[in-house]
Amino acid sequence: MKIEFAPLHVPLRRRLQTAAVVQWVFSFLALAQVCLALFVLLCVSDWWILGALYAGWLYLDRDTPSSGGRRSHWVRSWPVWTYFRDYFPITLIKTVDLDPGHNYLFGFHPHGVLVAGGFGNFCTEASGFSQMFPGLTPYLLMLPFWFRVPFFREYIMCGGLVSSEKASASYLLSRPGGGHAAVIAVGGAPESLDARPGAVTLQLLQRKGFVKLALKHGAWLVPVFSFGENELFDQMENPAGSALRRMQDRLQRIMGVAMPLFHARGVFQYSFGLLPYRKPIHTVVGHPIPVTQNPSPNKDDIDALHSLYMKGLTQLFEENKKNYGIPEDKHLDFI
């Protein structure tokens, strides 16, 4: 395989952008394991009392990830996130003002491999969410497992990440006075197994739990489509029914975490590695779908709102795809 190396003379700005993405990929793939190892080492060292005190804190603080988390504007505003944004670059596009008097449930599509657009737009201030949607506070929902990892949980909560448990979403969507936006990657971990350049396959047909939550709390639904999210990584071929896909599906059912075998570029060469390609991401926030609160929605209520949401998402995609290089004959594929 011919390796394409990066040029020697690269502007410092681009080097800093690459460094920002390196730390983000490391945080996503390895920081939790490092934090867990540090905690174990702390517990078996002469400083074990600190480990015991922190274990007590974990117990006392166990409900925080499902009660709005503990965000830090300082962490969300770190300069590193500006370099992270500019690496791709990531752009947040608003189609309409959102009244902060309501609570919202943002459906984020597609999941992609590492949800780069979701993180850049809703877990940092780099793309200007707070200025674009004044009065709204975004929370990106993440698998509960990660909030059980010592130290790592504190870091991710600083960015506005919260548990994806139903109780967590309910807490946000039921806050009086409005102003809260729960962001859910609706396709979840299984959708990441189909994330590859050119793919517009969304796992949505049977995903109705978020619609039921919106109905129960009267939270307005907002479709969000992140153009370019699937262009960041290549992935080993894993068609449905293949041995690799069966293994991935089994691991996902057991562990709750998908294992896409992805690759893209490296730090000093462009031929292989785990860094994403420098491809632009345009995250478009669509028109809200008003929802009337229904504490006990039946199947017909859920199906009707789900259908309305799918139409809104399709319209958002069709109206914007030509702006971001998607062929006119390509349409969303719901599975």
Side-chain angles (χ1 to χ4, degrees):
M1 180 180 67
K2 184 178 179 180
I3 299 177
E4 181 185 359
F5 289 96
L8 291 176
H9 301 291
V10 176
L12 177 61
R13 173 180 54 82
R14 287 178 68 86
R15 291 190 185 278
L16 291 174
Q17 291 169 4
T18 302
V21 172
V22 167
Q23 68 83 26
W24 173 72
V25 171
F26 171 78
S27 297
F28 205 104
L29 299 181
L31 183 59
Q33 294 87 327
V34 171
C35 288
L36 183 59
L38 288 175
F39 178 70
V40 172
L41 290 174
L42 183 65
C43 289
V44 299
S45 72
D46 292 339
W47 298 90
W48 63 268
I49 187 64
L50 295 179
L53 289 172
Y54 184 73
W57 164 254
L58 286 177
Y59 177 76
L60 294 174
D61 196 54
R62 63 190 183 279
D63 292 331
T64 298
S66 57
S67 302
R70 189 168 43 247
R71 65 201 300 114
S72 166
H73 181 75
W74 176 65
V75 172
R76 288 171 57 88
S77 302
W78 279 352
V80 67
W81 304 130
T82 300
Y83 291 109
F84 171 81
R85 175 200 67 194
D86 293 342
Y87 173 91
F88 299 95
I90 296 173
T91 306
L92 182 65
I93 296 103
K94 177 176 75 172
T95 58
V96 66
D97 291 333
L98 295 180
D99 181 1
H102 297 287
N103 289 321
Y104 296 91
L105 198 160
F106 285 20
F108 182 86
H109 311 269
H111 183 285
V113 173
L114 298 183
V115 206
F119 179 86
N121 287 306
F122 305 117
C123 296
T124 80
E125 292 298 330
S127 62
F129 181 92
S130 295
Q131 290 74 38
M132 202 172 293
F133 298 101
L136 279 187
T137 302
Y139 302 84
L140 183 62
L141 276 65
M142 190 177 187
L143 289 173
F145 166 82
W146 299 112
F147 295 94
R148 302 188 184 103
V149 181
F151 306 129
F152 182 70
R153 69 191 293 274
E154 320 297 343
Y155 176 58
I156 59 178
M157 279 197 290
C158 284
L161 284 153
V162 296
S163 173
S164 60
E165 295 171 293
K166 183 170 68 173
S168 176
S170 294
Y171 177 89
L172 298 173
L173 300 180
S174 63
R175 291 300 86 194
H180 295 79
V183 184
I184 300 178
V186 177
E191 193 173 272
S192 67
L193 300 177
D194 291 313
R196 50 176 46 87
V200 287
T201 300
L202 303 181
Q203 298 221 9
L204 185 57
L205 287 180
Q206 303 305 319
R207 302 261 171 168
K208 300 180 181 181
F210 74 104
V211 173
K212 184 177 181 179
L213 270 174
L215 277 167
K216 290 182 69 174
H217 299 288
W220 290 22
L221 286 170
V222 180
V224 178
F225 197 90
S226 196
F227 293 89
E229 193 74 39
N230 282 342
E231 309 301 314
L232 305 183
F233 295 96
D234 291 310
Q235 191 172 162
M236 287 186 63
E237 290 297 325
N238 58 343
S242 66
L244 175 58
R245 188 56 170 264
R246 289 198 301 272
M247 181 185 71
Q248 290 174 319
D249 289 340
R250 183 174 177 81
L251 286 173
Q252 195 274 322
R253 286 193 297 270
I254 294 172
M255 302 171 59
V257 179
M259 297 290 184
L261 298 182
F262 63 91
H263 58 92
R265 52 158 291 186
V267 177
F268 302 111
Q269 46 74 32
Y270 302 140
S271 301
F272 59 89
L274 297 179
L275 292 191
Y277 295 122
R278 284 181 178 264
K279 298 288 187 179
I281 300 173
H282 296 89
T283 304
V284 185
V285 180
H287 288 250
I289 300 170
V291 177
T292 301
Q293 186 173 10
N294 182 350
S296 301
N298 58 35
K299 184 178 183 300
D300 290 340
D301 297 327
I302 296 170
D303 287 346
L305 184 55
H306 184 263
S307 177
L308 194 60
Y309 178 84
M310 290 179 62
K311 289 178 182 177
L313 178 60
T314 300
Q315 181 179 354
L316 178 68
F317 177 80
E318 294 294 333
E319 289 179 350
N320 289 276
K321 66 181 182 181
K322 61 181 181 298
N323 299 328
Y324 308 115
I326 296 180
E328 193 65 34
D329 60 350
K330 178 162 283 191
H331 308 286
L332 294 180
D333 179 22
F334 297 120
I335 59 174

